[in-house]
Structures are given as C-alpha cells and as structure tokens.
Amino acid sequence: GVSGLNAHYNALNTTAHNLANVETKGYVRQQVLHKDSAYNNIGYRGKALLQVGHGVDIASVRQVRDIFLDKSYRLENGRQQFYQVQNQATSEIENILGELDGVAFSQSLEDLWTSIQELSKQPDSIVTRTSLVQSSVSFIERAQVIWNQLRDYQVNLNTQIINEVDRINQIANEISLINDQIRYAESNGLENANDYRDARNLLLDELGNMISISFSEDRIGEVTVYAEGVPLVTPEHVYKMATKEITGTGLLVPVWEHLKDQEVFNLDKPASSQHNTDIGSLKGLLYTRGNKVANYTDI
C-alpha cells in the first residue's frame, strides 16, 4: 500500500509538471508508467516457488510523443518554408514594380510605346516629340529606381542567407550541449531528462525549417543530426557550415568547412517533392536570390 501511494504521489507530481508547462513552447506532456516492484523468494510448495512482492514501482516517465510524426512534421514544414520564402519574394517584387498599388512599371512602358507610336504618325510635330522626350525621361527614371530596389533586395536576401547559416551553426552547438546534459542526467539509469529533450526537439523543429535534416538517438540519449546528408552533429563533434563568395558577384553560398568548402546544396538538381529536393528556407533563399547580379542582357 505504501509503495502504491508513493508511486501515485510521483505520478501526481508529473501531472502538476504538465499543468505548469501548458504554455511552455515545445513542451510535451509526460506520463508515468508503473511496474511491479521486486519480489522476495520465501520458499517452495512442491515445485511452486513462493514469493512476496514489494508492491508498485515507477518504470519510467515517458514523453507522449511520436518520432514518426516528428520526422513527417519536420519534412513537410521544411517544404512549406522552401516555398514560403519564394512566395514572399514574389510579393516583394510585385511591390517594387508597383503592381499592387496602382503605379505599375508596365504603365511607364505603355506610355513610352504610345509616344513612339504617335511620333511615327506625326514625326514633325513638336507636341509628339515633346511627349516622347517626357515619356522617355519618366521611363528611365522609373527603371533606375526599380533596378536599385531590386539590387537592394538581392543584397537583403544575401544577408538573410548569412544569418541562416549562422543560426544553423548556433543550433548545432546548442544540440551538442543538450546531448551532454541528457547523457549526464541519465547516467544513473534512474531519470529521464524529458525537459532537456523538449528543448532539443524544439531546436530540431527550427533546424528542419531551414534545411533538410535526418536524425537518430542512441541508447544513451545523444542524437546524431545530418543536414543534406552530411553529418552536422555527432556525439563527438559539431561540423561547421560556412559561406564562400561566388566569384566576382559578392554573393555567398553555404559550404562545409570540413569537406574543403564543398557546397551544401546542388542547385543543378530541380526542386522536386518527389525527390525531397524542395526542403528548407535556406535553399529557398538561394533559389530566390540567384547566383549573379542580372542586367538587361539576361533577357
């Protein structure tokens, strides 16, 4: 009876812990599993072993979480972020071109074309010549403004790529630190470091938004993480992602330092849901930004 009271006392503590963390980001409900406690052998009755039990014990405090759902969620969320980045860029470019606020760049082109057409009908008219000059000046001024805004936006996307690479490295270091904390907390074989696991899973969720990942946990609670098929976090080491410049452009691409600056992504492969090559906001940013500074010859 006493063992049963103690076991359920601890179970109520876990329930209180669940309630206290309802609003904690990344927290997963925990559940206490009970088991038979030890038995004492007190003799035999014929061939039957006579035993006295010691009641109820706690088998474990587990997280109510499904690893298969975790993997599916991170995959699909990463895919959403890949396309969300490009959708946002499309909206930004529409704003730059004035397509949504009634001052579309296409109107400047249309005005210039109309002026040229009118001049072809009346080439000696001062009025049509003046109109063409005004339309041309307006078109060139507007084109220059749009070019500057598009160039600035490309630089902004380049900065976002740098920030995401830095954040990926930071997350990798934090996951490695939590690996050590979990291993230390569970080294006595009596506790489950579930709160540390919640923090680590929250980091894996964020990492899965930015890049395609796979992961596995070993028997002592340490997780190994692969990013784009390359080790990012192992029990022994954290591998750093860096950036290098595309020659002569000022634009940067992510590379693996430990693989002699091998590029993280192979952008020659088309983005495809079938082959899971459309995962992560970092890859979406690279597609959106492009690999050079464009000009009129790229039409």
Side-chain angles (χ1 to χ4, degrees):
V2 171
S3 70
L5 289 171
N6 283 331
H8 285 281
Y9 172 79
N10 288 323
L12 284 173
N13 278 340
T14 300
T15 301
H17 187 62
N18 288 336
L19 292 172
N21 286 280
V22 166
E23 301 297 332
T24 301
K25 186 176 181 180
Y27 183 81
V28 173
R29 181 169 63 90
Q30 299 177 19
Q31 184 181 57
V32 174
L33 300 180
H34 295 127
K35 67 176 182 178
D36 293 349
S37 190
Y39 287 85
N40 281 345
N41 299 330
I42 60 174
Y44 290 88
R45 179 177 292 169
K47 293 184 179 180
L49 177 64
L50 300 179
Q51 294 180 312
V52 174
H54 288 274
V56 182
D57 206 349
I58 292 177
S60 66
V61 181
R62 69 172 186 177
Q63 292 178 298
V64 183
R65 192 177 188 113
D66 190 322
I67 188 172
F68 297 105
L69 290 179
D70 280 344
K71 290 182 177 180
S72 178
Y73 166 78
R74 286 163 188 158
L75 176 67
E76 297 306 326
N77 208 40
R79 178 171 286 120
Q80 180 193 18
Q81 293 300 317
F82 175 82
Y83 291 107
Q84 181 66 32
V85 164
Q86 296 176 73
N87 180 66
Q88 183 178 351
T90 301
S91 297
E92 292 285 349
I93 291 170
E94 285 178 338
N95 289 332
I96 291 172
L97 295 175
E99 298 294 333
L100 304 180
D101 55 14
V103 287
F105 180 55
S106 58
Q107 187 62 50
S108 297
L109 283 169
E110 186 175 338
D111 292 344
L112 178 61
W113 176 247
T114 300
S115 297
I116 293 173
Q117 291 291 91
E118 291 299 320
L119 182 63
S120 68
K121 297 175 185 177
Q122 304 177 49
D124 295 330
S125 171
I126 298 298
V127 174
T128 54
R129 291 182 180 182
T130 303
S131 176
L132 176 60
V133 170
Q134 291 175 343
S135 298
S136 300
V137 170
S138 176
F139 168 75
I140 291 171
E141 289 177 348
R142 186 75 193 282
Q144 187 63 52
V145 169
I146 288 176
W147 157 253
N148 291 334
Q149 290 177 328
L150 288 172
R151 175 58 180 152
D152 290 344
Y153 186 56
Q154 190 177 42
V155 171
N156 177 270
L157 291 172
N158 199 54
T159 302
Q160 290 183 50
I161 290 169
I162 296 171
N163 292 339
E164 290 223 349
V165 169
D166 289 342
R167 180 57 184 157
I168 287 171
N169 288 328
Q170 184 180 358
I171 289 175
N173 287 325
E174 291 177 10
I175 289 174
S176 180
L177 177 61
I178 294 176
N179 275 347
D180 293 339
Q181 292 171 325
I182 290 174
R183 186 183 70 249
Y184 177 78
E186 296 182 350
S187 60
N188 57 15
L190 301 176
E191 297 184 64
N192 288 344
N194 291 331
D195 289 350
Y196 283 138
R197 280 188 167 83
D198 285 337
R200 187 174 67 187
N201 280 319
L202 191 60
L203 291 170
L204 287 171
D205 288 344
E206 184 182 354
L207 186 63
N209 287 343
M210 293 187 285
I211 195 168
S212 177
I213 63 171
S214 58
F215 55 94
S216 60
E217 185 175 332
D218 62 21
R219 60 182 180 81
I220 60 174
E222 293 186 308
V223 72
T224 298
V225 183
Y226 289 81
E228 294 292 329
V230 174
L232 179 66
V233 181
T234 67
E236 299 82 20
H237 198 70
V238 176
Y239 296 95
K240 186 178 179 182
M241 189 182 295
T243 57
K244 73 173 183 180
E245 182 182 350
I246 302 173
T247 306
T249 65
L251 305 178
L252 302 174
V253 292
V255 296
W256 295 112
E257 281 190 342
H258 65 290
L259 297 178
K260 299 180 180 179
D261 287 350
Q262 173 186 309
E263 291 189 19
V264 175
F265 303 101
N266 180 5
L267 299 182
D268 293 332
K269 293 183 178 180
S272 164
S273 298
Q274 181 179 359
H275 299 100
N276 287 332
T277 53
D278 59 345
I279 309 296
S281 57
L282 180 57
K283 195 172 189 179
L285 285 169
L286 289 168
Y287 270 108
T288 303
R289 184 206 62 191
N291 58 8
K292 64 176 179 178
V293 181
N295 57 40
Y296 70 95
T297 64
D298 293 298
I299 294 174

